Amino acid sequence: MHYSSLLYRSKQKYLQQRYQTKFLLFFQKAKKKLFIFSNHAAINIECWKQNCVLVELKKKGNAAFLETIQLKTLKKDGTLQISTDMQDETISGTATIRILVPKNIAIHAQTISKSIIIKKVSGPLEIASDYGDVSIIQGSNTVIAKTQH
């Protein structure tokens, strides 16, 4: 194997590690709603024992993809809105949004072609995916799930 090939691979691994981003977002105790829309990343939501929300965006791809995909958040009136934005739709790569939430939070999640996985969340769920898979594992309370195909 050539030295330049090894150098290229180590640079790609460095970029992949470098472009993992984390956001800690806290909820007030009054209203607890999470709205998430993602065309560009799979959505994994899990329950944890904290009274806050942790959002982690994991990205894999070339440097152009890592720089192009962005996570947008808006927090107001006890509601957290999360979405993905991608400046150039022609660049390929993979991304996953991992969200840790309090147990009884109300969740509305929507995607066009990516998967949605929700684990151990007790609050009301409204889930929609046109072409992606929807999995709810050990959920309780009201669940509304819609898929097109």
Side-chain angles (χ1 to χ4, degrees):
M1 186 174 283
H2 291 87
Y3 177 75
S4 60
S5 178
L6 287 172
L7 184 61
Y8 176 76
R9 286 185 182 164
S10 66
K11 182 179 178 184
Q12 281 298 104
K13 187 171 184 177
Y14 168 76
L15 286 173
Q16 287 175 0
Q17 291 172 349
R18 183 174 171 229
Y19 281 89
Q20 289 188 10
T21 56
K22 290 184 181 182
F23 299 91
L24 270 179
L25 303 165
F26 293 91
F27 273 103
Q28 297 175 354
K29 292 187 178 185
K31 298 178 184 176
K32 294 184 178 183
K33 296 180 183 177
L34 171 67
F35 293 90
I36 180 162
F37 177 77
S38 176
N39 260 351
H40 314 293
I43 301 169
N44 293 338
I45 302 173
E46 296 180 53
C47 174
W48 70 336
K49 294 181 181 181
Q50 305 297 321
N51 192 28
C52 61
V53 175
L54 171 71
V55 180
E56 179 181 25
L57 175 61
K58 293 183 179 182
K59 309 181 244 183
K60 286 186 181 181
N62 62 27
F65 175 78
L66 298 176
E67 291 174 6
T68 298
I69 189 165
Q70 301 292 323
L71 191 64
K72 292 185 172 186
T73 59
L74 174 65
K75 181 182 172 189
K76 71 177 194 183
D77 301 328
T79 300
L80 176 63
Q81 298 176 5
I82 302 170
S83 62
T84 54
D85 183 37
M86 194 162 164
Q87 303 299 322
D88 186 350
E89 300 280 340
T90 63
I91 299 173
S92 65
T94 61
T96 302
I97 301 171
R98 180 175 175 242
I99 306 171
L100 299 177
V101 298
K103 185 176 184 177
N104 294 318
I105 194 167
I107 296 173
H108 175 89
Q110 182 179 355
T111 183
I112 302 295
S113 61
K114 302 297 181 182
S115 65
I116 300 173
I117 299 172
I118 299 177
K119 295 179 185 175
K120 300 180 183 178
V121 176
S122 299
L125 305 174
E126 188 171 340
I127 313 301
S129 180
D130 288 351
Y131 298 97
D133 295 332
V134 173
S135 299
I136 300 170
I137 302 165
Q138 295 180 345
S140 60
N141 211 329
T142 306
V143 176
I144 300 171
K146 300 175 186 176
T147 58
Q148 293 286 77
H149 301 279

